[in-house]
Structures are given as structure tokens and as C-alpha cells.
Amino acid sequence: MKKKLKIVKDSRPSRVEAERAVKTLIEYIGEDAEREGVRETPQRVVKAFDEYFHGYGLDAAEILSKTFREVGDYGGPVLVKNIKVQSRCEHHLAPFIGHAHIAYVPDGRVVGLSKLSRLVDAYASRMQTQERLTEEVANALEKYLKPKGVAVMIEAEHFCMKLRGVGEDHALTVTTRFGGIYKKDRAARESFLKLTAGGS
Ligand SMILES: [Zn+2]
């Protein structure tokens, strides 16, 4: 079985093939792919793709592997607001950009605060939907941190909505996912929503 997986990985197109595909798109729209300003665009686009989609090489388990037990007497939630979200919709590869607000109530274990942004980045830097991104961030925190509760809210603008079709310029898509005490306890949920209101 492992061998099979390896073959799938090896069947990824080469960098040169990816650059050729971009050149095909440039020619498809009717551009001259050989003119000076455009000649090196395929290489630049593939390099940009490496940046946009670097999340495939990142592992949530590794990001959240180092936890700390010493939280003193603090028993409240840990909330990090306005974590940058830069992702690409899986339907059009158009960017969706916004912020994530993440809260969790530790059950004895906390994680470095920067790890929350790294976690968002790892899942956002893939072909995504906002709904799945919200779910994946919450699931990873539940799985690896085992908190008493977790709340994730993402607010984002989708460029495929802004630029295409309906041309909806200021629409903000908001997704939320509540787990543990945030799901069971209405007061905890309301507190999170109050703290994140007007957060971005
Ligand atoms: Zn889209």
C-alpha cells in the first residue's frame, strides 16, 4: 500500500510541466507568451503557487506538538483575535482574505500563541472552502490540544464574489464552529461572540 502512495506522489508533474501549463493558459487568453514582459511569467506563477499552497507541506500534529502545562491559576479561555487568513477558493483559485478568531478553554495544556496563526496558515495555504477551513482548524485543536472547548470564527472576503458573476463588492462571509463548552454553554458562546464583535 505504501508503495502505491509513493507512486502517486512521484506522478506529480514536474516544475517544467507546470510552467508549460501556465504558458498554455497565457496563450489561451490570446497573449503573446514570448513577449518580454510575459516570457518569464510561467516561472513566476509557479513560484507564486509554491507560496500560495505551501500548506500541503505542513502538519497540524507537528505545529501543535509542543504544549505547556504551566498556566498558573488561569482557568479562563484563551482568545486570539484577527489572525490573518489568506486562502484560495478551490472552485476558482481566487483568493479569499480575512481574519480568524480562535478561542479555547484549556484543560491543563496550552500552546504557544503563535502556533494558532501557524495552524490557520497551514490549512489556509491550500485549495480551500471557508467552511472546511473553519472546521479543520477547530478539529485540529480538539484533536491535539484536547481543550474543554473551542470556538473558531472566520470572516473573509471572497474575490471570486467580488470580481466575477454577481460582483458583490463588500460581502463578508462569516463561518463559526463551536465545540465542547462553547457548544453546550450559551453564555460561553455569547462571551466569545461579544469579544470578537467588530474584531476585524
Ligand atoms: Zn470561488
Side-chain angles (χ1 to χ4, degrees):
M1 199 61 196
K2 266 188 180 169
K3 266 190 178 168
K4 265 192 180 170
L5 285 173
K6 198 164 182 289
I7 291 165
V8 170
K9 206 180 170 200
D10 288 346
S11 74
R12 266 170 66 162
S14 70
R15 195 170 191 89
V16 171
E17 286 173 309
E19 288 167 4
R20 235 177 258 143
V22 176
K23 192 180 174 191
T24 301
L25 284 173
I26 291 170
E27 288 167 346
Y28 169 73
I29 60 171
E31 252 297 351
D32 172 9
E34 296 301 332
R35 75 178 171 84
E36 198 191 354
V38 181
R39 205 181 302 145
E40 286 174 24
T41 296
Q43 286 98 306
R44 285 189 289 259
V45 170
V46 172
K47 198 176 167 199
F49 261 52
D50 287 342
E51 288 168 26
Y52 302 153
F53 299 110
H54 69 269
Y56 290 105
L58 298 172
D59 181 19
E62 201 186 318
I63 292 167
L64 298 176
S65 63
K66 197 173 179 194
T67 57
F68 302 93
R69 288 203 160 272
E70 289 163 32
V71 287
D73 294 327
Y74 186 73
V78 178
L79 167 67
V80 180
K81 278 167 69 164
N82 298 334
I83 295 167
K84 185 177 70 183
V85 171
Q86 283 188 30
S87 192
R88 301 262 149 182
C89 82
E90 66 183 18
H91 305 119
H92 309 94
L93 293 177
F96 64 94
I97 289 171
H99 293 93
H101 315 302
I102 299 177
Y104 67 96
V105 179
D107 191 9
R109 285 198 298 178
V110 295
V111 73
L113 297 176
S114 66
K115 299 297 166 63
L116 298 180
S117 12
R118 284 192 58 206
L119 182 68
V120 169
D121 175 64
Y123 285 119
S125 302
R126 301 176 187 194
M127 287 174 72
Q128 268 295 9
T129 66
Q130 186 176 327
E131 295 87 337
R132 192 200 303 126
L133 176 59
T134 310
E135 191 69 25
E136 285 178 338
V137 169
N139 286 347
L141 287 166
E142 283 175 344
K143 185 171 177 190
Y144 299 112
L145 207 55
K146 298 189 172 27
K148 290 177 184 165
V150 66
V152 177
M153 178 190 286
I154 296 179
E155 304 174 298
E157 286 187 295
H158 289 249
F159 280 67
C160 58
M161 267 178 91
K162 283 166 94 77
L163 304 176
R164 303 174 53 260
V166 284
E168 197 56 75
D169 203 23
H170 300 290
L172 194 65
T173 304
V174 182
T175 44
T176 52
R177 158 72 154 75
F178 298 108
I181 61 168
Y182 284 103
K183 194 170 184 178
K184 287 180 220 136
D185 182 356
R186 191 176 164 172
R189 206 158 54 236
E190 277 171 1
S191 161
F192 172 80
L193 293 170
K194 201 173 161 191
L195 287 165
T196 54
S200 60

